[in-house]
Amino acid sequence: MSPLVVYYSYSGITRRLAEDIALITDGDLRELKPQKPYSFSYNTAVKEAREEIEKGYCPPLIQGAETIENAEVVFVGSPNWLKTFAPPVLSFLRTVDLSGKKIIPFCTHGGGGFGRMIEDYKKECKNSIIKDGIALKGDYSFDELKTWLDSNL
């Protein structure tokens, strides 16, 4: 059974990682799209995200919150925003029933790794199996990812 690769990407870096994971694992892609996109200005987007994260806000999704029936393994990816996942990922985690699913987090970052994401996944997905996952900088190599996936799946 093919894994499902769910992701939110602001600038396209996390999208590329999600696409590479789907290619290597023969997984199905699902992009999370919030109803109201973040600002095109990076600084403004950071301010918007900070406010949402501090409030625990879950932005409505216009794409990505469909139910998951067949996938037993779900990769969930996000950029590292303020040491956690982007608010659209929180919306996904709180909307979709992931009970009994194996969750493999992945993130892109500029030096902060996962931050506190793994703890946040465990808090939001109490009835799921949370694996260690992989955190990569935007300049990762395809071979680095493939090696990790081959040894961890």
Side-chain angles (χ1 to χ4, degrees):
M1 192 165 296
S2 296
L4 179 62
V5 182
V6 177
Y7 69 95
Y8 171 76
S9 185
Y10 171 74
S11 65
I13 296 169
T14 307
R15 175 181 293 112
R16 180 172 69 95
L17 179 54
E19 289 170 347
D20 286 346
I21 291 170
L23 180 67
I24 294 167
T25 64
D26 194 31
D28 298 319
L29 275 174
R30 181 185 291 188
E31 182 175 9
L32 302 176
K33 288 190 177 180
Q35 196 170 46
K36 180 180 176 242
Y38 294 95
S39 172
F40 288 111
S41 160
Y42 178 76
N43 290 335
T44 304
V46 168
K47 183 180 175 190
E48 293 168 350
R50 180 182 313 276
E51 289 175 9
E52 290 182 357
I53 289 168
E54 287 173 355
K55 293 177 182 174
Y57 177 69
C58 293
L61 299 175
I62 58 169
Q63 179 181 309
E66 300 82 14
T67 60
I68 296 174
E69 295 170 10
N70 298 330
E72 294 173 14
V73 175
V74 182
F75 287 87
V76 181
S78 173
N80 176 335
W81 278 7
L82 307 168
K83 300 182 181 172
T84 191
F85 37 73
V89 173
L90 182 61
S91 297
F92 170 77
L93 297 176
R94 290 188 176 172
T95 303
V96 177
D97 182 9
L98 298 169
S99 300
K101 309 281 185 197
K102 183 188 299 183
I103 308 297
I104 304 176
F106 65 95
C107 84
T108 55
H109 63 90
F114 273 121
R116 67 170 193 274
M117 275 189 216
I118 301 301
E119 294 85 358
D120 291 345
Y121 277 109
K122 288 177 180 174
K123 183 176 122 189
E124 293 297 330
C125 305
K126 289 183 172 87
N127 297 318
S128 304
I129 303 155
I130 309 297
K131 303 306 274 182
D132 287 339
I134 186 167
L136 294 171
K137 289 187 177 183
D139 62 354
Y140 73 91
S141 75
F142 185 84
D143 290 340
E144 173 186 12
L145 174 62
K146 184 164 180 5
T147 299
W148 186 88
L149 286 167
D150 289 345
S151 63
N152 286 281
L153 291 184

PDB file of all heavy atoms in Angstrom, residues 102-140:
ATOM      1  N   LYS A 102       0.764   5.294  11.025  1.00  0.00           N
ATOM      2  CA  LYS A 102       2.163   5.585  11.305  1.00  0.00           C
ATOM      3  C   LYS A 102       2.469   6.938  10.667  1.00  0.00           C
ATOM      4  O   LYS A 102       2.333   7.111   9.463  1.00  0.00           O
ATOM      5  CB  LYS A 102       3.074   4.522  10.705  1.00  0.00           C
ATOM      6  CG  LYS A 102       4.541   4.740  11.035  1.00  0.00           C
ATOM      7  CD  LYS A 102       5.475   3.803  10.283  1.00  0.00           C
ATOM      8  CE  LYS A 102       5.207   2.364  10.604  1.00  0.00           C
ATOM      9  NZ  LYS A 102       6.180   1.461   9.926  1.00  0.00           N
ATOM     10  N   ILE A 103       2.840   7.912  11.506  1.00  0.00           N
ATOM     11  CA  ILE A 103       3.124   9.267  11.046  1.00  0.00           C
ATOM     12  C   ILE A 103       4.646   9.445  10.990  1.00  0.00           C
ATOM     13  O   ILE A 103       5.333   9.221  11.990  1.00  0.00           O
ATOM     14  CB  ILE A 103       2.525  10.329  12.006  1.00  0.00           C
ATOM     15  CG1 ILE A 103       1.040  10.077  12.258  1.00  0.00           C
ATOM     16  CG2 ILE A 103       2.796  11.738  11.492  1.00  0.00           C
ATOM     17  CD1 ILE A 103       0.165  10.181  11.055  1.00  0.00           C
ATOM     18  N   ILE A 104       5.142   9.851   9.831  1.00  0.00           N
ATOM     19  CA  ILE A 104       6.570  10.131   9.665  1.00  0.00           C
ATOM     20  C   ILE A 104       6.713  11.611   9.342  1.00  0.00           C
ATOM     21  O   ILE A 104       6.467  12.035   8.214  1.00  0.00           O
ATOM     22  CB  ILE A 104       7.204   9.260   8.566  1.00  0.00           C
ATOM     23  CG1 ILE A 104       6.960   7.768   8.859  1.00  0.00           C
ATOM     24  CG2 ILE A 104       8.706   9.567   8.451  1.00  0.00           C
ATOM     25  CD1 ILE A 104       7.454   6.823   7.783  1.00  0.00           C
ATOM     26  N   PRO A 105       7.091  12.418  10.338  1.00  0.00           N
ATOM     27  CA  PRO A 105       7.239  13.854  10.109  1.00  0.00           C
ATOM     28  C   PRO A 105       8.455  14.154   9.230  1.00  0.00           C
ATOM     29  O   PRO A 105       9.465  13.446   9.277  1.00  0.00           O
ATOM     30  CB  PRO A 105       7.456  14.425  11.512  1.00  0.00           C
ATOM     31  CG  PRO A 105       7.044  13.357  12.460  1.00  0.00           C
ATOM     32  CD  PRO A 105       7.279  12.076  11.747  1.00  0.00           C
ATOM     33  N   PHE A 106       8.334  15.215   8.437  1.00  0.00           N
ATOM     34  CA  PHE A 106       9.498  15.741   7.734  1.00  0.00           C
ATOM     35  C   PHE A 106       9.379  17.249   7.712  1.00  0.00           C
ATOM     36  O   PHE A 106       8.282  17.797   7.771  1.00  0.00           O
ATOM     37  CB  PHE A 106       9.646  15.152   6.324  1.00  0.00           C
ATOM     38  CG  PHE A 106       8.570  15.498   5.342  1.00  0.00           C
ATOM     39  CD1 PHE A 106       8.715  16.570   4.465  1.00  0.00           C
ATOM     40  CD2 PHE A 106       7.413  14.731   5.251  1.00  0.00           C
ATOM     41  CE1 PHE A 106       7.737  16.879   3.530  1.00  0.00           C
ATOM     42  CE2 PHE A 106       6.424  15.023   4.316  1.00  0.00           C
ATOM     43  CZ  PHE A 106       6.587  16.112   3.457  1.00  0.00           C
ATOM     44  N   CYS A 107      10.529  17.908   7.704  1.00  0.00           N
ATOM     45  CA  CYS A 107      10.494  19.359   7.663  1.00  0.00           C
ATOM     46  C   CYS A 107      11.713  19.899   6.944  1.00  0.00           C
ATOM     47  O   CYS A 107      12.732  19.222   6.810  1.00  0.00           O
ATOM     48  CB  CYS A 107      10.388  19.975   9.057  1.00  0.00           C
ATOM     49  SG  CYS A 107      11.937  20.174   9.944  1.00  0.00           S
ATOM     50  N   THR A 108      11.548  21.119   6.483  1.00  0.00           N
ATOM     51  CA  THR A 108      12.666  21.881   5.946  1.00  0.00           C
ATOM     52  C   THR A 108      12.929  23.008   6.933  1.00  0.00           C
ATOM     53  O   THR A 108      12.012  23.475   7.617  1.00  0.00           O
ATOM     54  CB  THR A 108      12.349  22.443   4.552  1.00  0.00           C
ATOM     55  OG1 THR A 108      11.146  23.198   4.615  1.00  0.00           O
ATOM     56  CG2 THR A 108      12.201  21.318   3.532  1.00  0.00           C
ATOM     57  N   HIS A 109      14.199  23.401   7.029  1.00  0.00           N
ATOM     58  CA  HIS A 109      14.565  24.397   8.024  1.00  0.00           C
ATOM     59  C   HIS A 109      15.824  25.129   7.593  1.00  0.00           C
ATOM     60  O   HIS A 109      16.536  24.694   6.690  1.00  0.00           O
ATOM     61  CB  HIS A 109      14.781  23.724   9.381  1.00  0.00           C
ATOM     62  CG  HIS A 109      15.922  22.744   9.383  1.00  0.00           C
ATOM     63  ND1 HIS A 109      17.207  23.119   9.694  1.00  0.00           N
ATOM     64  CD2 HIS A 109      15.971  21.426   9.081  1.00  0.00           C
ATOM     65  CE1 HIS A 109      17.998  22.061   9.604  1.00  0.00           C
ATOM     66  NE2 HIS A 109      17.277  21.026   9.227  1.00  0.00           N
ATOM     67  N   GLY A 110      16.082  26.219   8.267  1.00  0.00           N
ATOM     68  CA  GLY A 110      17.275  27.005   7.986  1.00  0.00           C
ATOM     69  C   GLY A 110      18.360  26.819   9.028  1.00  0.00           C
ATOM     70  O   GLY A 110      19.319  27.579   9.070  1.00  0.00           O
ATOM     71  N   GLY A 111      18.216  25.822   9.879  1.00  0.00           N
ATOM     72  CA  GLY A 111      19.212  25.561  10.909  1.00  0.00           C
ATOM     73  C   GLY A 111      18.608  25.091  12.222  1.00  0.00           C
ATOM     74  O   GLY A 111      19.312  24.655  13.115  1.00  0.00           O
ATOM     75  N   GLY A 112      17.288  25.162  12.346  1.00  0.00           N
ATOM     76  CA  GLY A 112      16.628  24.801  13.602  1.00  0.00           C
ATOM     77  C   GLY A 112      16.158  23.370  13.699  1.00  0.00           C
ATOM     78  O   GLY A 112      15.528  22.997  14.685  1.00  0.00           O
ATOM     79  N   GLY A 113      16.433  22.548  12.694  1.00  0.00           N
ATOM     80  CA  GLY A 113      15.967  21.161  12.718  1.00  0.00           C
ATOM     81  C   GLY A 113      14.467  21.093  12.927  1.00  0.00           C
ATOM     82  O   GLY A 113      13.719  21.908  12.401  1.00  0.00           O
ATOM     83  N   PHE A 114      14.037  20.110  13.711  1.00  0.00           N
ATOM     84  CA  PHE A 114      12.615  19.950  14.002  1.00  0.00           C
ATOM     85  C   PHE A 114      12.113  20.937  15.048  1.00  0.00           C
ATOM     86  O   PHE A 114      10.912  21.071  15.237  1.00  0.00           O
ATOM     87  CB  PHE A 114      12.318  18.536  14.506  1.00  0.00           C
ATOM     88  CG  PHE A 114      12.039  17.531  13.433  1.00  0.00           C
ATOM     89  CD1 PHE A 114      12.828  16.403  13.308  1.00  0.00           C
ATOM     90  CD2 PHE A 114      10.981  17.691  12.561  1.00  0.00           C
ATOM     91  CE1 PHE A 114      12.565  15.455  12.331  1.00  0.00           C
ATOM     92  CE2 PHE A 114      10.701  16.759  11.574  1.00  0.00           C
ATOM     93  CZ  PHE A 114      11.504  15.630  11.458  1.00  0.00           C
ATOM     94  N   GLY A 115      13.010  21.600  15.768  1.00  0.00           N
ATOM     95  CA  GLY A 115      12.538  22.433  16.868  1.00  0.00           C
ATOM     96  C   GLY A 115      11.780  21.562  17.850  1.00  0.00           C
ATOM     97  O   GLY A 115      12.293  20.544  18.290  1.00  0.00           O
ATOM     98  N   ARG A 116      10.537  21.915  18.141  1.00  0.00           N
ATOM     99  CA  ARG A 116       9.707  21.093  19.049  1.00  0.00           C
ATOM    100  C   ARG A 116       8.608  20.335  18.279  1.00  0.00           C
ATOM    101  O   ARG A 116       7.620  19.873  18.866  1.00  0.00           O
ATOM    102  CB  ARG A 116       9.108  21.962  20.149  1.00  0.00           C
ATOM    103  CG  ARG A 116       8.105  22.972  19.685  1.00  0.00           C
ATOM    104  CD  ARG A 116       7.369  23.641  20.856  1.00  0.00           C
ATOM    105  NE  ARG A 116       6.227  24.349  20.373  1.00  0.00           N
ATOM    106  CZ  ARG A 116       6.240  25.608  19.919  1.00  0.00           C
ATOM    107  NH1 ARG A 116       7.352  26.299  19.902  1.00  0.00           N
ATOM    108  NH2 ARG A 116       5.125  26.168  19.481  1.00  0.00           N
ATOM    109  N   MET A 117       8.763  20.221  16.961  1.00  0.00           N
ATOM    110  CA  MET A 117       7.728  19.581  16.140  1.00  0.00           C
ATOM    111  C   MET A 117       7.365  18.174  16.582  1.00  0.00           C
ATOM    112  O   MET A 117       6.183  17.831  16.630  1.00  0.00           O
ATOM    113  CB  MET A 117       8.167  19.516  14.672  1.00  0.00           C
ATOM    114  CG  MET A 117       7.882  20.732  13.881  1.00  0.00           C
ATOM    115  SD  MET A 117       8.217  20.401  12.138  1.00  0.00           S
ATOM    116  CE  MET A 117       8.853  21.981  11.667  1.00  0.00           C
ATOM    117  N   ILE A 118       8.361  17.346  16.881  1.00  0.00           N
ATOM    118  CA  ILE A 118       8.072  15.955  17.236  1.00  0.00           C
ATOM    119  C   ILE A 118       7.176  15.911  18.477  1.00  0.00           C
ATOM    120  O   ILE A 118       6.186  15.177  18.509  1.00  0.00           O
ATOM    121  CB  ILE A 118       9.370  15.142  17.449  1.00  0.00           C
ATOM    122  CG1 ILE A 118      10.229  15.149  16.162  1.00  0.00           C
ATOM    123  CG2 ILE A 118       9.054  13.713  17.882  1.00  0.00           C
ATOM    124  CD1 ILE A 118       9.556  14.566  14.927  1.00  0.00           C
ATOM    125  N   GLU A 119       7.497  16.720  19.479  1.00  0.00           N
ATOM    126  CA  GLU A 119       6.659  16.784  20.681  1.00  0.00           C
ATOM    127  C   GLU A 119       5.249  17.255  20.322  1.00  0.00           C
ATOM    128  O   GLU A 119       4.263  16.745  20.851  1.00  0.00           O
ATOM    129  CB  GLU A 119       7.263  17.739  21.720  1.00  0.00           C
ATOM    130  CG  GLU A 119       8.584  17.274  22.300  1.00  0.00           C
ATOM    131  CD  GLU A 119       9.801  17.651  21.453  1.00  0.00           C
ATOM    132  OE1 GLU A 119       9.644  18.256  20.365  1.00  0.00           O
ATOM    133  OE2 GLU A 119      10.924  17.325  21.881  1.00  0.00           O
ATOM    134  N   ASP A 120       5.154  18.233  19.412  1.00  0.00           N
ATOM    135  CA  ASP A 120       3.841  18.738  19.006  1.00  0.00           C
ATOM    136  C   ASP A 120       3.047  17.681  18.236  1.00  0.00           C
ATOM    137  O   ASP A 120       1.832  17.568  18.398  1.00  0.00           O
ATOM    138  CB  ASP A 120       3.997  20.024  18.196  1.00  0.00           C
ATOM    139  CG  ASP A 120       4.479  21.196  19.051  1.00  0.00           C
ATOM    140  OD1 ASP A 120       4.426  21.095  20.293  1.00  0.00           O
ATOM    141  OD2 ASP A 120       4.914  22.205  18.463  1.00  0.00           O
ATOM    142  N   TYR A 121       3.732  16.887  17.394  1.00  0.00           N
ATOM    143  CA  TYR A 121       3.039  15.786  16.697  1.00  0.00           C
ATOM    144  C   TYR A 121       2.508  14.788  17.717  1.00  0.00           C
ATOM    145  O   TYR A 121       1.366  14.326  17.613  1.00  0.00           O
ATOM    146  CB  TYR A 121       3.973  15.063  15.716  1.00  0.00           C
ATOM    147  CG  TYR A 121       4.100  15.730  14.373  1.00  0.00           C
ATOM    148  CD1 TYR A 121       5.268  16.373  13.995  1.00  0.00           C
ATOM    149  CD2 TYR A 121       3.040  15.710  13.468  1.00  0.00           C
ATOM    150  CE1 TYR A 121       5.387  16.983  12.755  1.00  0.00           C
ATOM    151  CE2 TYR A 121       3.142  16.316  12.224  1.00  0.00           C
ATOM    152  CZ  TYR A 121       4.322  16.954  11.880  1.00  0.00           C
ATOM    153  OH  TYR A 121       4.427  17.559  10.664  1.00  0.00           O
ATOM    154  N   LYS A 122       3.322  14.440  18.705  1.00  0.00           N
ATOM    155  CA  LYS A 122       2.891  13.471  19.716  1.00  0.00           C
ATOM    156  C   LYS A 122       1.696  13.994  20.506  1.00  0.00           C
ATOM    157  O   LYS A 122       0.791  13.236  20.859  1.00  0.00           O
ATOM    158  CB  LYS A 122       4.053  13.131  20.650  1.00  0.00           C
ATOM    159  CG  LYS A 122       5.101  12.278  19.960  1.00  0.00           C
ATOM    160  CD  LYS A 122       6.285  11.991  20.856  1.00  0.00           C
ATOM    161  CE  LYS A 122       7.293  11.123  20.107  1.00  0.00           C
ATOM    162  NZ  LYS A 122       8.533  10.914  20.879  1.00  0.00           N
ATOM    163  N   LYS A 123       1.687  15.294  20.764  1.00  0.00           N
ATOM    164  CA  LYS A 123       0.572  15.905  21.492  1.00  0.00           C
ATOM    165  C   LYS A 123      -0.711  15.880  20.652  1.00  0.00           C
ATOM    166  O   LYS A 123      -1.797  15.588  21.157  1.00  0.00           O
ATOM    167  CB  LYS A 123       0.938  17.348  21.846  1.00  0.00           C
ATOM    168  CG  LYS A 123      -0.085  18.075  22.668  1.00  0.00           C
ATOM    169  CD  LYS A 123       0.427  19.448  23.048  1.00  0.00           C
ATOM    170  CE  LYS A 123      -0.534  20.476  22.520  1.00  0.00           C
ATOM    171  NZ  LYS A 123      -0.092  21.836  22.618  1.00  0.00           N
ATOM    172  N   GLU A 124      -0.592  16.178  19.359  1.00  0.00           N
ATOM    173  CA  GLU A 124      -1.778  16.265  18.491  1.00  0.00           C
ATOM    174  C   GLU A 124      -2.258  14.909  17.986  1.00  0.00           C
ATOM    175  O   GLU A 124      -3.418  14.770  17.615  1.00  0.00           O
ATOM    176  CB  GLU A 124      -1.474  17.172  17.284  1.00  0.00           C
ATOM    177  CG  GLU A 124      -1.249  18.621  17.660  1.00  0.00           C
ATOM    178  CD  GLU A 124      -2.456  19.289  18.290  1.00  0.00           C
ATOM    179  OE1 GLU A 124      -3.605  18.912  17.980  1.00  0.00           O
ATOM    180  OE2 GLU A 124      -2.252  20.194  19.117  1.00  0.00           O
ATOM    181  N   CYS A 125      -1.370  13.929  17.931  1.00  0.00           N
ATOM    182  CA  CYS A 125      -1.702  12.617  17.344  1.00  0.00           C
ATOM    183  C   CYS A 125      -1.530  11.512  18.374  1.00  0.00           C
ATOM    184  O   CYS A 125      -0.752  10.565  18.173  1.00  0.00           O
ATOM    185  CB  CYS A 125      -0.814  12.351  16.132  1.00  0.00           C
ATOM    186  SG  CYS A 125      -0.865  13.612  14.874  1.00  0.00           S
ATOM    187  N   LYS A 126      -2.251  11.609  19.463  1.00  0.00           N
ATOM    188  CA  LYS A 126      -2.092  10.672  20.579  1.00  0.00           C
ATOM    189  C   LYS A 126      -2.407   9.222  20.198  1.00  0.00           C
ATOM    190  O   LYS A 126      -1.906   8.296  20.818  1.00  0.00           O
ATOM    191  CB  LYS A 126      -2.968  11.106  21.745  1.00  0.00           C
ATOM    192  CG  LYS A 126      -2.459  12.358  22.429  1.00  0.00           C
ATOM    193  CD  LYS A 126      -3.319  12.698  23.635  1.00  0.00           C
ATOM    194  CE  LYS A 126      -2.718  13.820  24.434  1.00  0.00           C
ATOM    195  NZ  LYS A 126      -3.092  15.126  24.000  1.00  0.00           N
ATOM    196  N   ASN A 127      -3.249   9.015  19.197  1.00  0.00           N
ATOM    197  CA  ASN A 127      -3.640   7.660  18.805  1.00  0.00           C
ATOM    198  C   ASN A 127      -2.910   7.175  17.560  1.00  0.00           C
ATOM    199  O   ASN A 127      -3.348   6.230  16.904  1.00  0.00           O
ATOM    200  CB  ASN A 127      -5.157   7.598  18.581  1.00  0.00           C
ATOM    201  CG  ASN A 127      -5.913   7.903  19.862  1.00  0.00           C
ATOM    202  OD1 ASN A 127      -5.546   7.433  20.934  1.00  0.00           O
ATOM    203  ND2 ASN A 127      -6.952   8.706  19.754  1.00  0.00           N
ATOM    204  N   SER A 128      -1.801   7.831  17.244  1.00  0.00           N
ATOM    205  CA  SER A 128      -0.982   7.462  16.085  1.00  0.00           C
ATOM    206  C   SER A 128       0.401   7.039  16.563  1.00  0.00           C
ATOM    207  O   SER A 128       0.791   7.297  17.703  1.00  0.00           O
ATOM    208  CB  SER A 128      -0.826   8.657  15.136  1.00  0.00           C
ATOM    209  OG  SER A 128      -2.084   9.153  14.739  1.00  0.00           O
ATOM    210  N   ILE A 129       1.138   6.415  15.678  1.00  0.00           N
ATOM    211  CA  ILE A 129       2.517   6.034  15.954  1.00  0.00           C
ATOM    212  C   ILE A 129       3.406   7.079  15.291  1.00  0.00           C
ATOM    213  O   ILE A 129       3.432   7.188  14.065  1.00  0.00           O
ATOM    214  CB  ILE A 129       2.825   4.641  15.379  1.00  0.00           C
ATOM    215  CG1 ILE A 129       1.857   3.614  15.958  1.00  0.00           C
ATOM    216  CG2 ILE A 129       4.283   4.252  15.632  1.00  0.00           C
ATOM    217  CD1 ILE A 129       1.659   2.405  15.092  1.00  0.00           C
ATOM    218  N   ILE A 130       4.097   7.872  16.097  1.00  0.00           N
ATOM    219  CA  ILE A 130       4.943   8.946  15.565  1.00  0.00           C
ATOM    220  C   ILE A 130       6.373   8.440  15.453  1.00  0.00           C
ATOM    221  O   ILE A 130       6.978   8.041  16.450  1.00  0.00           O
ATOM    222  CB  ILE A 130       4.909  10.201  16.475  1.00  0.00           C
ATOM    223  CG1 ILE A 130       3.480  10.624  16.788  1.00  0.00           C
ATOM    224  CG2 ILE A 130       5.723  11.329  15.845  1.00  0.00           C
ATOM    225  CD1 ILE A 130       2.658  11.046  15.605  1.00  0.00           C
ATOM    226  N   LYS A 131       6.900   8.442  14.242  1.00  0.00           N
ATOM    227  CA  LYS A 131       8.277   8.015  13.994  1.00  0.00           C
ATOM    228  C   LYS A 131       9.205   9.232  14.098  1.00  0.00           C
ATOM    229  O   LYS A 131       8.757  10.366  14.174  1.00  0.00           O
ATOM    230  CB  LYS A 131       8.397   7.375  12.606  1.00  0.00           C
ATOM    231  CG  LYS A 131       7.459   6.198  12.393  1.00  0.00           C
ATOM    232  CD  LYS A 131       7.591   5.135  13.447  1.00  0.00           C
ATOM    233  CE  LYS A 131       8.672   4.153  13.143  1.00  0.00           C
ATOM    234  NZ  LYS A 131       8.809   3.076  14.111  1.00  0.00           N
ATOM    235  N   ASP A 132      10.511   8.983  14.087  1.00  0.00           N
ATOM    236  CA  ASP A 132      11.484  10.065  14.245  1.00  0.00           C
ATOM    237  C   ASP A 132      11.448  11.085  13.110  1.00  0.00           C
ATOM    238  O   ASP A 132      11.561  12.266  13.333  1.00  0.00           O
ATOM    239  CB  ASP A 132      12.901   9.505  14.369  1.00  0.00           C
ATOM    240  CG  ASP A 132      13.119   8.849  15.727  1.00  0.00           C
ATOM    241  OD1 ASP A 132      12.367   9.156  16.661  1.00  0.00           O
ATOM    242  OD2 ASP A 132      14.050   8.032  15.823  1.00  0.00           O
ATOM    243  N   GLY A 133      11.301  10.655  11.894  1.00  0.00           N
ATOM    244  CA  GLY A 133      11.221  11.573  10.766  1.00  0.00           C
ATOM    245  C   GLY A 133      12.567  12.139  10.350  1.00  0.00           C
ATOM    246  O   GLY A 133      13.615  11.745  10.854  1.00  0.00           O
ATOM    247  N   ILE A 134      12.515  13.092   9.419  1.00  0.00           N
ATOM    248  CA  ILE A 134      13.734  13.688   8.878  1.00  0.00           C
ATOM    249  C   ILE A 134      13.560  15.193   8.716  1.00  0.00           C
ATOM    250  O   ILE A 134      12.535  15.656   8.217  1.00  0.00           O
ATOM    251  CB  ILE A 134      14.155  13.013   7.548  1.00  0.00           C
ATOM    252  CG1 ILE A 134      15.509  13.545   7.083  1.00  0.00           C
ATOM    253  CG2 ILE A 134      13.073  13.153   6.487  1.00  0.00           C
ATOM    254  CD1 ILE A 134      16.135  12.719   5.973  1.00  0.00           C
ATOM    255  N   ALA A 135      14.561  15.926   9.168  1.00  0.00           N
ATOM    256  CA  ALA A 135      14.591  17.383   9.036  1.00  0.00           C
ATOM    257  C   ALA A 135      15.771  17.740   8.152  1.00  0.00           C
ATOM    258  O   ALA A 135      16.907  17.362   8.448  1.00  0.00           O
ATOM    259  CB  ALA A 135      14.737  18.029  10.415  1.00  0.00           C
ATOM    260  N   LEU A 136      15.497  18.429   7.047  1.00  0.00           N
ATOM    261  CA  LEU A 136      16.550  18.760   6.088  1.00  0.00           C
ATOM    262  C   LEU A 136      16.556  20.248   5.764  1.00  0.00           C
ATOM    263  O   LEU A 136      15.502  20.878   5.699  1.00  0.00           O
ATOM    264  CB  LEU A 136      16.340  17.977   4.785  1.00  0.00           C
ATOM    265  CG  LEU A 136      16.483  16.456   4.873  1.00  0.00           C
ATOM    266  CD1 LEU A 136      16.032  15.813   3.574  1.00  0.00           C
ATOM    267  CD2 LEU A 136      17.921  16.076   5.191  1.00  0.00           C
ATOM    268  N   LYS A 137      17.743  20.768   5.529  1.00  0.00           N
ATOM    269  CA  LYS A 137      17.864  22.140   5.030  1.00  0.00           C
ATOM    270  C   LYS A 137      17.448  22.144   3.564  1.00  0.00           C
ATOM    271  O   LYS A 137      17.433  21.107   2.909  1.00  0.00           O
ATOM    272  CB  LYS A 137      19.299  22.633   5.184  1.00  0.00           C
ATOM    273  CG  LYS A 137      19.688  22.883   6.627  1.00  0.00           C
ATOM    274  CD  LYS A 137      21.048  23.529   6.700  1.00  0.00           C
ATOM    275  CE  LYS A 137      21.410  23.844   8.131  1.00  0.00           C
ATOM    276  NZ  LYS A 137      22.698  24.527   8.218  1.00  0.00           N
ATOM    277  N   GLY A 138      17.145  23.313   3.055  1.00  0.00           N
ATOM    278  CA  GLY A 138      16.658  23.433   1.689  1.00  0.00           C
ATOM    279  C   GLY A 138      17.628  22.967   0.626  1.00  0.00           C
ATOM    280  O   GLY A 138      17.230  22.621  -0.482  1.00  0.00           O
ATOM    281  N   ASP A 139      18.920  22.901   0.957  1.00  0.00           N
ATOM    282  CA  ASP A 139      19.914  22.491  -0.030  1.00  0.00           C
ATOM    283  C   ASP A 139      20.283  21.007   0.098  1.00  0.00           C
ATOM    284  O   ASP A 139      21.352  20.588  -0.324  1.00  0.00           O
ATOM    285  CB  ASP A 139      21.178  23.357   0.079  1.00  0.00           C
ATOM    286  CG  ASP A 139      21.864  23.234   1.434  1.00  0.00           C
ATOM    287  OD1 ASP A 139      21.304  22.569   2.343  1.00  0.00           O
ATOM    288  OD2 ASP A 139      22.961  23.791   1.587  1.00  0.00           O
ATOM    289  N   TYR A 140      19.363  20.198   0.667  1.00  0.00           N
ATOM    290  CA  TYR A 140      19.622  18.764   0.822  1.00  0.00           C
ATOM    291  C   TYR A 140      19.845  18.118  -0.538  1.00  0.00           C
ATOM    292  O   TYR A 140      19.430  18.644  -1.570  1.00  0.00           O
ATOM    293  CB  TYR A 140      18.455  18.083   1.552  1.00  0.00           C
ATOM    294  CG  TYR A 140      17.220  17.939   0.692  1.00  0.00           C
ATOM    295  CD1 TYR A 140      17.013  16.800  -0.078  1.00  0.00           C
ATOM    296  CD2 TYR A 140      16.274  18.949   0.620  1.00  0.00           C
ATOM    297  CE1 TYR A 140      15.888  16.673  -0.886  1.00  0.00           C
ATOM    298  CE2 TYR A 140      15.149  18.830  -0.173  1.00  0.00           C
ATOM    299  CZ  TYR A 140      14.963  17.692  -0.928  1.00  0.00           C
ATOM    300  OH  TYR A 140      13.867  17.571  -1.729  1.00  0.00           O
TER     301      TYR A 140
END
